[in-house]
Amino acid sequence: MFDRLPPEAQEPESDAIVAYHHRDGVGREMTWLLHDVGNKGLGRDLALHLGPMMKELFSGLAVPSVEQYRQSWIPLGKRLTSTGRIDGGLRVVTAADIDACDVLGQYSRFRCLIYGLRVIDEHNPDLLRPDLKARINFTSRHNGKALRPREPLTPFVARVLKEAVDRRVVAARDRIAAGCDQVEALRNKLDRNRFEDVFLHVADGARPARSEFDLFKYRKVAVSAASDLLVLTLPDAIYFIIAIALRVEMPIECLRTLRRDCLRNPARGYVSIEYTKGRGGVGPKIKRERVRDGGINTPGGLVRLALELSRPAAERMTQRGDPDADYLWIGFVAAGLPSWRRFRLCTQNFYAAIRSLGLVDDAGQPISRIVPARLRKTVKRDNYLRHAGHLRRFASDHSPVVAARHYAAVDGLREEHARSVEVAETQLFDMAMAPLVLPPAEEAGALASGLSIADRKLDPGAVASLVSGDTDTFLGICSGFWSSPMGRNDDGSCAIAFTGCLHCSNAVFTARKLPALLSYLTWLDNHRAVMTETEWRERHGADHDRITAQILPVFAPGDIEQARSVLGSTAVAPALPPHLLRS
C-alpha cells in the first residue's frame, strides 16, 4: 500500500503520497499529499514516521475522519513555515507551537494533531523535544464541546425494526430457495429458447452482453429477475446485518467486514463470531463474541444462512480471482457494471433499505433513517437492564469508564436510573428500620430479663403478656397498638393495614408468627406469576424483601421447617386476612 514511499534509509520527498485504504463495504482509497501541510520538513517527517502506520491507525475510521486528521497538521506546518523553520520537521516543534495551534472552537480537529504526535512519540521516543512531550500529555487548554452519546432506539422502534428485518430475511431465504428450483427446472428443460438460455446465463452470475440486455428489455423482464434468483442482493445483506446487530454487541463496522470463516468453535448451541475491530487503539484487533447458534432467530444461525445464500457468488468470484471473495456480504450488484461482487454497505444504503420497510415510530411518524451505530446502543441498553446496571458484567469489550460514559449515560436509561435510586433509598431506609426479630433463644432471654423496643423498656411480665398472643396481628406482634408511629385513627388506634406491621418499629416477630409469614410469602410468589415484574415490585417488593432478607434469615432452618409443617396441617391454620385465604 505504501510502495510509493521511499526506503527508510533515503530522504523522503515532502510530496510523498500516503494512501489510506478504507474498507466500508467495497473499499476506497484516500490520497494524502504530505506537501499539503505547508512545510517541507514536516511533510518529510510525516512521510517517514507516520506514513508506515497509516493503515493501522485509520483501519476503522471513516474517510471524513481521515481527512480531519490530515487537516490537523496544516496549522502546525504553516506555523513552522512562518517562523522560518522550513527543514527542521518534527525535531524543532515546541510546546509553544502546539499552544499556537490550540484555537478555541477547533477542539475536534486539534485533538487529531495531539493523537498523531502521541503515536509518533510512542514509536520514536527520541524524536520529539522534552517540552513537546510534556505538552501532548493533555489535549487542549479549552474545553471541547461535550459530545452527547447516541441514544438507543426506543423499545417500540427496536421491536418493529427487528420484526421487519426478520421478515425480509425469511423472504430472501424463500426467494432463493424458489429460485434454485426455478433454475433447476429450466436447466432440465429440453427445448429452451434463446431468452431462456440468456436467463440461465445471467442467473449463473455472468455479466449480460448488450444484446442480452436488449433481449430482457424486449421481453419486458428486469435483469434482476434472473440475477437475484440464486444469491443475496444489497438490501438483503443490509437486512441480515441489522438482524444480527440487534442480537449481538459487535460494532456495526465490524459486522460490515465479516469474512466467510468468521464462525469458530461451535459447541453446545453456541459459536464464536470472529471479527476485526480497528478502533480502540493502534492497529486492528482480532476479537470474538460468543453467541447463540441454532435457528434463524439466533446470531449464529443468521450468519450460517448468509454464508449459504452467498455461496454461489463466492464460488464465481473465487473462479475469477476476486480478492473480495473471502468476505461474507457479497452478491449481485446492479450499480455500475452489473456483476457479482462485494456490497458497498455505506450509511446511505442503510437509510434507503430502512425507508423501504415503511416503518413508523412511537408517535406514528414514518421512520426515514436510523443511524446504524444506534443498533449497538440498543443491544447495550437491553444488556444493561438485564445485568441490573452492573458495569463489570455490562462492559464486555471496553472499559467500565467507556461503558458508563457512552452506553449507560443516555436518556433512554434515565427512568431506570431514577428507579434504581428510589429502590436504593428504600433499601437503605429498610436497613435503618430493621425489624425486631426474636428467635427462640432470644425470646427466652427476653422473658427472663426484659426487652427494649421502640425506646421503651419492657419488664419480664410485660414481655410475657406480649408474646402470649393477646396483642397479635396477622403477621407480627404489636407492642403499641395505641401509639402507632405510622398513622392513627380518630380514636387513637393504629390505622395501618396488616402488611404495615412488617415495616413498623412497634412490631415484634417470633417463631410463633413464622407460619403466617410463610403463608403470606407464598401468596406474594403466586401473585408475582400473574403480574408484570414492575407492577409486582412496586406493590409487594418491600414486603417480600423484608420477610426474605431481614426476618427469615434470623431463624434457624429447623424453626422454619417446623413452621412449614404447621402450615401444611389443616388443623392449625395461621390467622390471615380472609382475602388471602380465599385466593
Side-chain angles (χ1 to χ4, degrees):
M1 174 158 306
F2 303 104
D3 50 1
R4 300 192 186 185
L5 291 178
E8 197 167 317
Q10 301 179 8
E11 187 75 7
E13 297 293 337
S14 61
D15 60 351
I17 297 177
V18 176
Y20 154 72
H21 198 63
H22 171 66
R23 289 288 187 178
D24 64 346
V26 174
R28 63 179 92 159
E29 293 184 351
M30 190 194 80
T31 301
W32 182 335
L33 299 177
L34 294 177
H35 70 271
D36 283 349
V37 299
N39 183 271
K40 179 180 179 181
L42 182 60
R44 179 198 63 226
D45 283 357
L46 292 181
L48 182 63
H49 300 293
L50 190 62
M53 295 186 292
M54 287 284 290
K55 183 178 180 181
E56 294 181 353
L57 284 175
F58 304 137
S59 60
L61 295 179
V63 166
S65 299
V66 180
E67 178 64 20
Q68 192 176 53
Y69 271 86
R70 186 189 71 82
Q71 292 179 358
S72 67
W73 294 96
I74 296 177
L76 180 60
K78 292 181 178 179
R79 164 82 177 179
L80 295 178
T81 301
S82 64
T83 55
R85 290 170 287 177
I86 305 298
D87 298 323
L90 290 171
R91 296 184 182 277
V92 298
V93 178
T94 64
D97 297 326
I98 302 302
D99 290 336
C101 298
D102 187 8
V103 179
L104 180 64
Q106 298 184 5
Y107 176 82
S108 180
R109 186 175 67 177
F110 179 72
R111 66 179 179 176
C112 299
L113 172 63
I114 296 297
Y115 175 68
L117 288 171
R118 289 173 181 172
V119 172
I120 292 175
D121 180 58
E122 181 181 351
H123 290 78
N124 304 274
D126 301 327
L127 181 62
L128 304 183
R129 295 164 56 100
D131 61 325
L132 179 58
K133 288 174 175 283
R135 172 59 185 82
I136 63 177
N137 285 332
F138 68 95
T139 304
S140 174
R141 297 168 299 166
H142 310 291
N143 291 328
K145 182 180 179 181
L147 299 177
R148 288 180 57 84
R150 289 190 179 96
E151 290 293 320
L153 303 178
T154 64
F156 174 81
V157 173
R159 178 175 59 82
V160 297
L161 178 62
K162 186 176 182 179
E163 292 174 353
V165 296
D166 285 350
R167 288 194 297 268
R168 293 300 182 98
V169 166
V170 173
R173 180 196 63 186
D174 295 343
R175 185 197 74 236
I176 294 177
C180 292
D181 295 338
Q182 180 181 349
V183 169
E184 187 63 25
L186 197 58
R187 291 187 201 280
N188 296 331
K189 188 177 180 180
L190 299 178
D191 52 344
R192 293 195 302 264
N193 57 34
R194 166 65 176 162
F195 176 72
E196 290 171 339
D197 289 335
V198 173
F199 191 93
L200 284 177
H201 183 65
V202 175
D204 288 336
R207 183 179 302 168
R210 179 58 183 271
S211 61
E212 295 172 336
F213 266 118
D214 294 340
L215 187 57
F216 273 96
K217 185 176 180 180
Y218 176 77
R219 290 293 186 111
K220 296 182 180 181
V221 177
V223 177
S224 60
S227 59
D228 297 354
L229 282 180
L230 302 179
V231 74
L232 292 175
T233 62
L234 174 59
D236 295 335
I238 293 176
Y239 298 139
F240 266 92
I241 291 176
I242 295 176
I244 298 173
L246 289 173
R247 290 172 167 88
V248 299
E249 292 189 359
M250 293 168 53
I252 193 69
E253 68 270 16
C254 300
L255 285 173
R256 290 169 172 168
T257 56
L258 287 178
R259 293 184 175 268
R260 304 192 67 80
D261 58 350
C262 60
L263 296 182
R264 302 296 177 90
N265 305 323
R268 297 182 179 180
Y270 287 86
V271 68
S272 295
I273 300 180
E274 185 178 270
Y275 62 94
T276 302
K277 183 177 180 181
R279 295 182 290 116
V282 178
K285 296 180 176 64
I286 303 299
K287 294 181 176 293
R288 289 185 177 91
E289 181 173 344
R290 195 73 175 171
V291 299
R292 292 175 56 232
D293 185 22
I296 197 174
N297 291 322
T298 65
L302 286 169
V303 174
R304 293 185 189 280
L305 180 60
L307 286 169
E308 178 62 25
L309 299 185
S310 61
R311 181 174 50 81
E315 294 174 352
R316 175 57 66 95
M317 292 170 65
T318 302
Q319 291 175 2
R320 68 172 188 244
D322 194 320
D324 288 337
D326 292 336
Y327 286 91
L328 175 58
W329 308 115
I330 54 178
F332 180 77
V333 180
L337 295 175
S339 64
W340 285 3
R341 59 180 186 269
R342 191 179 175 194
F343 295 124
R344 185 174 182 268
L345 300 170
C346 64
T347 303
Q348 295 302 323
N349 286 336
F350 270 81
Y351 292 161
I354 290 173
R355 282 195 301 269
S356 68
L357 295 175
L359 304 178
V360 294
D361 59 14
D362 310 58
Q365 299 296 321
I367 299 176
S368 59
R369 54 183 289 175
I370 292 177
V371 178
R374 295 180 64 189
L375 302 177
R376 189 189 193 206
K377 288 279 188 177
T378 305
V379 177
K380 288 285 190 180
R381 187 265 316 277
D382 296 340
N383 290 344
Y384 182 83
L385 295 176
R386 188 172 69 251
H387 293 138
H390 292 287
L391 284 179
R392 296 197 176 194
R393 305 178 195 169
F394 168 66
S396 58
D397 58 345
H398 37 61
S399 66
V401 176
V402 174
R405 183 171 65 245
H406 290 282
Y407 296 98
V410 295
D411 291 341
L413 292 172
R414 183 172 298 174
E415 182 177 348
E416 180 65 23
H417 292 160
R419 187 182 301 112
S420 299
V421 172
E422 182 180 355
V423 170
E425 291 175 346
T426 303
Q427 291 175 348
L428 289 175
F429 178 79
D430 288 345
M431 291 175 62
M433 299 294 294
L436 178 58
V437 183
L438 294 179
E442 295 185 16
E443 183 179 348
L447 289 172
S449 59
L451 178 68
S452 295
I453 179 172
D455 299 329
R456 301 192 309 274
K457 178 67 176 180
L458 302 182
D459 56 30
V463 174
S465 176
L466 185 70
V467 300
S468 65
D470 296 338
T471 59
D472 274 14
T473 62
F474 287 115
L475 298 178
I477 303 171
C478 183
S479 65
F481 183 73
W482 299 97
S483 58
S484 172
M486 304 180 68
R488 302 181 190 179
N489 294 316
D490 294 339
D491 59 354
S493 61
C494 179
I496 302 303
F498 79 100
T499 58
C501 295
L502 294 171
H503 312 281
C504 181
S505 58
N506 287 340
V508 181
F509 301 94
T510 65
R512 188 163 47 81
K513 304 305 298 183
L514 281 177
L517 291 170
L518 293 174
S519 180
Y520 180 53
L521 191 62
T522 301
W523 185 88
L524 291 178
D525 292 337
N526 291 337
H527 276 65
R528 191 172 195 169
V530 297
M531 300 172 66
T532 64
E533 183 65 21
T534 301
E535 183 181 6
W536 182 89
R537 176 58 60 179
E538 182 178 348
R539 292 187 181 183
H540 307 300
D543 293 351
H544 185 273
D545 293 342
R546 176 72 81 181
I547 296 173
T548 57
Q550 294 183 308
I551 297 179
L552 295 184
V554 178
F555 294 96
D559 298 331
I560 297 178
E561 289 300 322
Q562 183 177 358
R564 292 190 189 278
S565 63
V566 171
L567 192 62
S569 173
T570 57
V572 186
L576 286 177
H579 74 277
L580 293 186
L581 297 177
R582 286 196 302 268
S583 60

